[in-house]
């Protein structure tokens, strides 16, 4: 009886080697650019009617809003090890790759203190758009 042998297979690779994102990262990393017809206009409501300002007596206080937010960039290396037992056993494992910082005033991203170039920034934005199509955040 002959045994059919299969050809050797390459190690499985992750489907998507691009940036891994989630809603929290996307909200911080990608600037929202509203359409012209939805841009805020002081003193009018959504229909163009005049409204009373929200500045009431005693409500004037300053908020200490940071100019920069940061988050750790991490992933589970066992997900790509080719061993589903390891991946399942250590599903919460995480390896830090560095820190992403986002400047609210300039809209620029840095990775471990180095500015991301336009292609890298575009890759993160594209990953966020794909994430948004599949998930509500």
């Amino acid at each position: 009886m002959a045994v059919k042998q299969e050809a050797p297979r390459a190690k499985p690779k992750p489907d998507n080697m691009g940036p891994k994102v989630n809603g929290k990262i996307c909200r911080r990393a990608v600037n929202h650019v509203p359409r012209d017809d939805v841009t805020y206009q002081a003193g009018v409501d959504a229909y163009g009617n005049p409204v009373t300002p929200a500045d009431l007596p005693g409500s004037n206080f300053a908020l200490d809003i940071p100019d920069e937010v940061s988050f750790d960039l991490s992933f589970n290396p066992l997900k790509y090890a080719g061993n589903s037992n390891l991946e399942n056993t250590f599903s919460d494992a995480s390896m830090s790759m560095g820190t992403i910082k986002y400047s609210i005033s300039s809209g620029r991203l840095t990775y471990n203190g180095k500015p991301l170039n336009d292609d890298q920034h575009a890759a993160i934005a594209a990953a966020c758009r794909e994430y948004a199509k599949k998930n509500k955040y």
Side-chain angles (χ1 to χ4, degrees):
M1 177 170 170
V3 177
K4 183 179 176 184
Q5 290 186 345
E6 292 184 23
R9 292 188 226 172
K11 240 182 161 182
K13 293 183 181 179
D15 292 339
N16 181 358
M17 292 298 290
K20 303 294 184 213
V21 297
N22 62 35
K24 185 176 180 181
I25 291 171
C26 290
R27 282 189 297 274
R28 290 180 176 178
V30 179
N31 287 335
H32 171 70
V33 180
R35 297 185 330 237
D36 289 338
D37 62 338
V38 295
T39 302
Y40 170 76
Q41 296 175 11
V44 296
D45 66 12
Y47 304 102
N49 301 316
V51 295
T52 304
D55 297 334
L56 300 174
S59 67
N60 196 9
F61 64 94
L63 294 175
D64 186 20
I65 300 174
D67 179 55
E68 187 175 84
V69 292
S70 64
F71 54 91
D72 292 325
L73 180 64
S74 58
F75 75 105
N76 181 347
L78 300 175
K79 188 173 186 172
Y80 306 105
N83 183 333
S84 60
N85 290 332
L86 281 176
E87 178 185 349
N88 294 333
T89 303
F90 300 102
S91 61
D92 291 334
S94 181
M95 179 176 161
S96 178
M97 298 296 292
T99 302
I100 299 285
K101 289 187 180 180
Y102 173 68
S103 169
I104 295 170
S105 61
S106 70
R108 299 304 299 165
L109 289 168
T110 61
Y111 171 68
N112 288 340
K114 296 178 183 176
L116 295 180
N117 66 36
D118 289 340
D119 290 340
Q120 293 163 327
H121 199 257
I124 292 172
C128 287
R129 282 191 295 276
E130 284 302 311
Y131 179 86
K133 287 179 187 177
K134 298 175 187 173
N135 306 278
K136 289 187 176 187
Y137 65 88

